[in-house]
Amino acid sequence: MERITLARALAMGREEARALDRDSPKGRLRSTPPGRDRLFIRAEGCRLWDDQGQVYLDFAGQGGTLSLGHNPAPVLEAVRLVAERPNLLQVGLDPVMSALMQNLAALAPEALARPLLTASGREAIRAAVGLARRATGRPRILVCEGASSDLSLDSWAAEPPPAETPTAAAPVAETAATATSAPPGTGLAAVPYGDLAALEEALAGREVAAFVVEPIQVEAGVLLPPPGYLQRARTLCRERGTLFIVDERRTGLGRTGTLFACQAEGIEPDILCLGPSLGGGVEPLGAVLTTEALWRQATARREGRWIETLLPEVGTRAAAAGLATLESLLDEGLPARAAELGAYLLARLESLQAEHHTVVKAVRGRGFLVGLEFEDVRSWATRLPFGGRGAFGPGGLATWVAGELLQRHRMLTHPVQPQVLLLAPPLTIGRNEIDQVVDALGQVLAGARPGWSLAVRSALTGLRHLRGGSPS
C-alpha cells in the first residue's frame, strides 16, 4: 500500500480525495453518500469553504459539539501559547491542566468538586461507569433506550465489573422494560426514556451501580423528558443506592441555554460527563465531574492498575484549549445567547410547522439543540412514478431535506433519525444566519408536499446526487 505524505494529502483535489476516501480503511467502514463528498479546505466560525470556492453555512456543528464554531481564534491562540511546552509528561507540574480542573470544579454544580480529564467523551462515560462500579461494588449499569450513538452496548460490554464485588449479585429480572440486546453477563440493562415506572422496577433489586441519562436525547430524535422526570429519577436512584450519572456530552457548556442542562432541571448528579465541545473543536477532550466523597470511596482500594486507567491522559495543548473554551463561553455570554436566539429559532420553526403541517410533525428542543420531526411520507412516495421507493433514499424525509439544503442552499444539517433533522449550530451564530436557514427550509418544504412536483424533484435530486453534481 502506497504511503502518502501530508503535503500530498493537502494538495489533493476532489476527485483524488474521493478515490482515496473510497479505497481507504475509513472508506470501507463508512461510505460517503454520492454528491455529498465535498472537499472542504477552510473553516471559520459557522462557515466552510470547499475546493470549488463555494461557501457553506454549518448548522450541524458536528452534532452539537462545535460550541465556538470552526477554528475559534482564542482556542487556536491558547494552543499556540503552549506549543513549546511538553505536551505529554508523566512527571513534573502542569499548571495548565490544574487550572482547567479547578475552573471546571468552580463552574460545575456545587458538590461536583472533583474533576477528571479524559481524551474523549466516550472515555468520560467509561470512566464514570468505572467510578460508579468501584464506589458501589455493584456490577450492573442502567441506560436509556436510544442513548447517543457512541454510548454503545459494545462500549459497555468492554467495561468489566469490579473485581471486588461483595457478592455474586443476581441479574436484574429481564422484563419488557429492561430487555436489551447486550451480550449476556455484561451487566447492562436499558429502560425507556422518560418511563419512571420502568426505572423504578429496574432499580428494585438494589443491584444497579449507576443510571446514565441524557437531559435531552439527541440521537434518538432530540427527545425532551417529561416534566419532572429527571428530578424523580434522581430521587429514585438515591433511595436505591444507585448513582445518578448525567451525560452532558451533547447538552453541556451552554448549548441548551444554561452552562449545564441539568441546572435548568434543578438536579445535581453524582457524576456529570462532558464531551468534545470542551476542546473548542480544536483538541480532543472530555471530562468527568464527581463529588469528593465518591472519588475517595471509589479509589479507596488501590490494588492492581485500575487507578492508572482513570488518571488524566490528555496533554497540555488540550488543557489549554479547554481553558480558552470556557473563557470564551463565559466572556461572550454564549449560554444566555443560546437561550435567547434558540427561542427565536424555535418560534420561527413553529411558524414553519404551521405552514407545512402536512410534512412537519413536530418541532422540539432547547437553546441551540433543536429537532424537526417530519411525517413519514415514504408510504405515499412509493406510489409516485418518478420518486418510487428511492424518492428519499434509505434515510427517510430528514435525509432528503438535509440533501436538498446541502445541494441547493449550501447548508449543512444532520439527520439523527429517518424523520428527524437536527439543527445544532455554533453558539456564535447570528439572527441573520437563523433567518437564512429557516427561509431555506421553507423553500425545501414547499416542494415536499405529497404530489407530482415532489416526485419530479426527488427524481432530479437522485440523478444529481449520482452524478455528484454541485449545488444549483
Side-chain angles (χ1 to χ4, degrees):
M1 185 176 292
E2 180 186 6
R3 290 189 303 110
I4 300 174
T5 64
L6 173 61
R8 182 183 166 191
L10 292 175
M12 283 185 181
R14 183 179 298 188
E15 292 302 322
E16 189 178 5
R18 181 184 290 125
L20 179 64
D21 183 85
R22 182 181 62 247
D23 298 334
S24 69
K26 176 181 79 75
R28 289 193 288 270
L29 290 172
R30 178 190 60 82
S31 60
T32 303
R36 299 181 67 181
D37 50 352
R38 303 297 195 273
L39 177 59
F40 296 111
I41 60 174
R42 181 186 164 204
E44 182 180 349
C46 60
R47 287 178 170 77
L48 299 160
W49 287 259
D50 70 10
D51 62 329
Q52 308 297 311
Q54 304 286 356
V55 184
Y56 298 76
L57 182 61
D58 187 356
F59 237 70
Q62 192 62 22
T65 61
L66 292 179
S67 297
L68 304 182
H70 295 275
N71 295 322
V75 180
L76 292 176
E77 175 62 13
V79 174
R80 186 193 67 80
L81 289 174
V82 300
E84 294 186 359
R85 294 199 176 203
N87 189 42
L88 296 172
L89 195 65
Q90 288 185 321
V91 297
L93 301 173
D94 191 336
V96 179
M97 187 176 297
S98 298
L100 174 59
M101 296 173 78
Q102 178 167 313
N103 289 359
L104 283 171
L107 294 171
E110 185 176 358
L112 303 182
R114 170 67 75 160
L116 169 71
L117 302 181
T118 64
S120 70
R122 175 177 293 187
E123 289 187 10
I125 288 291
R126 290 172 64 83
V129 167
L131 280 168
R133 282 173 160 163
R134 205 72 173 185
T136 63
R138 300 175 178 182
R140 297 185 67 80
I141 301 296
L142 193 63
V143 299
C144 287
E145 296 171 359
S148 291
S149 58
D150 59 336
L151 195 64
S152 63
L153 297 178
D154 288 341
S155 293
W156 296 117
E159 184 71 37
E164 299 83 3
T165 303
T167 61
V172 175
E174 292 294 337
T175 66
T178 61
T180 174
S181 58
T186 60
L188 173 73
V191 294
Y193 188 62
D195 190 333
L196 283 171
L199 176 62
E200 187 169 11
E201 180 183 353
L203 296 176
R206 296 181 180 270
E207 296 155 347
V208 177
F211 174 50
V212 186
V213 63
E214 298 167 278
I216 299 175
Q217 278 200 317
V218 180
E219 294 297 326
V222 194
L223 303 180
L224 279 71
Y229 167 73
L230 292 176
Q231 289 184 339
R232 179 57 182 155
R234 177 72 179 96
T235 300
L236 283 173
C237 287
R238 184 171 291 161
E239 292 173 351
R240 302 303 194 279
T242 295
L243 298 179
F244 189 70
I245 300 178
V246 174
D247 178 3
E248 295 241 23
R249 293 175 298 166
R250 305 288 284 276
T251 60
L253 299 182
R255 177 148 299 277
T256 62
T258 52
L259 195 59
F260 304 103
C262 63
Q263 292 174 318
E265 299 283 349
I267 56 173
E268 189 169 276
D270 296 302
I271 303 175
L272 185 148
C273 298
L274 296 175
S277 59
L278 182 58
V282 174
E283 293 283 340
L285 190 60
V288 176
L289 296 102
T290 189
T291 66
E292 185 67 30
L294 181 57
W295 173 260
R296 292 183 182 277
Q297 186 177 358
T299 57
R301 297 184 292 268
R302 296 179 174 271
E303 59 277 2
R305 299 176 61 85
W306 181 83
I307 296 298
E308 294 181 18
T309 67
L310 293 183
L311 293 176
E313 294 182 354
V314 302
T316 301
R317 293 167 198 163
L323 276 174
T325 297
L326 292 178
E327 188 172 350
S328 293
L329 286 170
L330 298 175
D331 289 352
E332 298 176 29
L334 294 184
R337 179 186 180 88
E340 177 186 353
L341 291 183
Y344 175 72
L345 172 61
L346 276 171
R348 286 224 54 194
L349 291 174
E350 287 168 352
S351 298
L352 198 69
Q353 178 191 8
E355 183 179 353
H356 301 280
H357 60 89
T358 60
V359 179
V360 182
K361 182 178 181 179
V363 175
R364 54 179 175 264
R366 189 187 305 156
F368 278 145
L369 194 62
V370 178
L372 277 77
E373 182 177 358
F374 301 108
E375 297 287 353
D376 190 350
V377 297
R378 286 174 292 182
S379 58
W380 60 259
T382 59
R383 301 194 296 270
L384 299 176
F386 290 100
R389 291 187 179 276
F392 306 108
L397 187 54
T399 301
W400 183 82
V401 171
E404 287 289 280
L405 288 172
L406 177 64
Q407 294 280 2
R408 301 174 65 83
H409 300 278
R410 303 189 191 97
M411 295 176 178
L412 278 71
T413 52
H414 177 43
V416 290
Q417 289 288 314
Q419 308 304 335
V420 181
L421 188 70
L422 172 67
L423 301 179
L427 307 189
T428 55
I429 205 84
R431 191 177 293 256
N432 289 338
E433 287 82 8
I434 292 174
D435 289 335
Q436 291 173 31
V437 168
V438 176
D439 291 344
L441 269 167
Q443 295 178 39
V444 171
L445 294 176
R449 294 192 181 96
W452 283 87
S453 62
L454 178 57
V456 174
R457 285 171 58 81
S458 299
L460 292 176
T461 298
L463 288 174
R464 187 166 64 244
H465 286 184
L466 290 173
R467 295 171 56 189
S470 60
S472 57

